[in-house]
Amino acid sequence: MTETARGLGEFDFAGDDHVVPFHVEGLDVRGRAVQLGPMLDAILERHNYPLPVARLVAETVVLTVLLGTSLKFEGKLIVQTQGDGPVDLVVADFSTPDRVRAYARYSQEALAAAEQDGRTEPHELLGKGVLAFTIDQGAHMQRYQGIVELDGATLEDIAGAYFRQSEQIPTKVRLGVAELLDRDEDGKPRHRWRAGGMVAQFLPDAPERMRQPDLPGGDGDEGEAIHLFEEDDLWSEAKVMVETIDTDELTDPTVGTERLLYRLFHERGVRVYQPQAVFDRCSCSREKIRGVLAGLDRDDIENSIEDGVINVTCEFCSTTYRFEASEVRSQ
């Protein structure tokens, strides 16, 4: 008797746009993994970014989703790059429990020059600057911000440096983006984006096992002792496993998150937990925009009025809010 082939969803796999927490007990590793499809497509499609910019935004969204879904409180995680490259700003934020949004700002002239010279890797587009991770727990709580330099490394490496500096947790991050060209139900060409990622952290019961080699000293440190610790064998093994993942595995919908985790860690006993859905949902609203306008002075209000109205467009979701001049002046 031939068994009928079934799709991923019929096996209760998470599928796209769901973050899957996991635990590899044999390696003392915990983490999260995700594949993004329709949600990412919606974010990128509304802005119609050039391909190199779209890839950069996609990587930032994956990183933000992986980190944001770990928040244990009501709040927001903001991941933002600021650099002197053709793409001088990329920002993505995750609002608990499941809302994601993102946008990028870039110079068309500088981007065209970079593309002509073949300088389209993420670090070349961003240039020198900083990557900031901001955690906002609301109006009555102080913001926490961690900042790392954009030093020519990948977003994966920069995220690892952030965890090392701010939380001192051995962490490995993998990010992948794929551009798909296929056909829709009517046979017409269709362009889609997919992305995937994983964050794995070494969290043994004995904290002293988390020690890592010291970072190299700067100028003038020649005479100072540098204390080096051997990396834990289990963490070394876990890192090697995660580093073997290629972009195709991270983004291929026929592989799926759970299958990828099984491929990597089944010999060590991987356990997955209830997936968490994430959605393309902006937090803007007419009331919030009205509040911003109410904080402007009279001159700024008058300079913003065109043909008797003020139009304000959200940079994230491209929604335009229209306010009559009389409505704003009366605030």
Side-chain angles (χ1 to χ4, degrees):
M1 182 175 180
T2 304
E3 182 179 352
T4 303
R6 293 186 290 173
L8 287 176
E10 296 177 83
F11 288 98
D12 294 322
F13 284 2
D16 288 342
D17 305 335
H18 287 75
V19 178
V20 179
F22 66 90
H23 179 206
V24 187
E25 187 173 358
L27 295 174
D28 290 328
V29 165
R30 291 184 179 271
R32 292 172 299 283
V34 69
Q35 284 193 347
L36 299 180
M39 184 209 75
L40 178 67
D41 231 13
I43 290 175
L44 297 178
E45 183 179 16
R46 73 167 60 96
H47 292 288
N48 194 28
Y49 292 121
L51 296 184
V53 180
R55 287 182 176 276
L56 186 55
V57 173
E59 280 197 3
T60 308
V61 169
V62 176
L63 178 59
T64 304
V65 165
L66 288 172
L67 303 186
T69 49
S70 69
L71 297 179
K72 306 300 183 186
F73 49 81
E74 184 175 348
K76 178 185 291 187
L77 169 72
I78 305 165
V79 177
Q80 179 174 321
T81 71
Q82 287 186 297
D84 61 4
V87 184
D88 66 325
L89 176 69
V90 180
V91 58
D93 67 47
F94 177 91
S95 297
T96 57
D98 54 21
R99 295 182 299 175
V100 185
R101 60 181 191 168
Y103 82 96
R105 186 177 65 201
Y106 63 96
S107 163
Q108 291 185 343
E109 292 183 2
L111 179 63
E115 288 183 293
Q116 186 174 0
D117 295 340
R119 297 180 289 105
T120 58
E121 292 299 314
H123 68 275
E124 295 171 319
L125 297 177
L126 294 172
K128 295 180 180 179
V130 297
L131 175 63
F133 297 84
T134 305
I135 296 176
D136 187 348
Q137 300 185 57
H140 304 294
M141 299 290 290
Q142 185 175 2
R143 281 189 170 195
Y144 166 80
Q145 187 173 73
I147 297 177
V148 289
E149 289 187 13
L150 295 171
D151 58 358
T154 64
L155 284 181
E156 294 177 351
D157 293 335
I158 293 170
Y162 162 74
F163 277 101
R164 180 167 184 172
Q165 292 176 11
S166 64
E167 300 187 21
Q168 292 160 5
I169 299 174
T171 302
K172 185 64 182 177
V173 178
R174 290 288 285 114
L175 306 171
V177 179
E179 177 190 5
L180 301 184
L181 299 174
D182 59 9
R183 296 184 180 276
D184 61 18
E185 295 78 4
D186 299 325
K188 297 179 180 179
R190 177 176 58 179
H191 175 274
R192 291 184 297 155
W193 286 100
R194 293 188 60 79
M198 179 183 299
V199 56
Q201 296 185 303
F202 186 52
L203 294 167
D205 291 333
E208 62 271 14
R209 290 178 56 208
M210 294 169 55
R211 296 183 305 183
Q212 300 180 90
D214 288 348
L215 293 170
D219 293 340
D221 291 340
E222 292 85 353
E224 297 180 11
I226 298 177
H227 302 287
L228 298 177
F229 300 105
E230 289 189 8
E231 190 171 70
D232 190 278
D233 289 343
L234 292 184
W235 176 235
S236 296
E237 180 182 342
K239 281 202 310 180
V240 169
M241 289 180 176
V242 175
E243 288 167 355
T244 64
I245 306 171
D246 61 31
T247 298
D248 289 343
E249 289 180 298
L250 284 171
T251 59
D252 188 345
T254 65
V255 174
T257 303
E258 290 89 346
R259 280 181 178 157
L260 176 57
L261 290 169
Y262 180 80
R263 284 182 181 180
L264 288 176
F265 301 121
H266 69 278
E267 292 184 355
R268 286 295 193 170
V270 60
R271 182 188 300 272
V272 298
Y273 299 92
Q274 186 69 29
Q276 178 178 345
V278 290
F279 301 94
D280 164 37
R281 289 176 179 167
C282 191
S283 58
C284 72
S285 67
R286 185 174 181 82
E287 291 70 25
K288 288 183 179 179
I289 300 298
R290 188 196 302 274
V292 172
L293 294 176
L296 299 179
D297 60 33
R298 178 68 61 181
D299 289 340
D300 288 336
I301 290 292
E302 295 300 325
N303 291 334
S304 301
I305 295 174
E306 294 184 7
D307 299 327
V309 299
I310 294 179
N311 290 311
V312 180
T313 300
C314 175
E315 293 177 305
F316 287 96
C317 67
S318 300
T319 300
T320 298
Y321 296 91
R322 177 187 174 96
F323 297 86
E324 297 294 332
S326 57
E327 177 184 2
V328 178
R329 286 170 175 152
S330 63
Q331 294 188 128

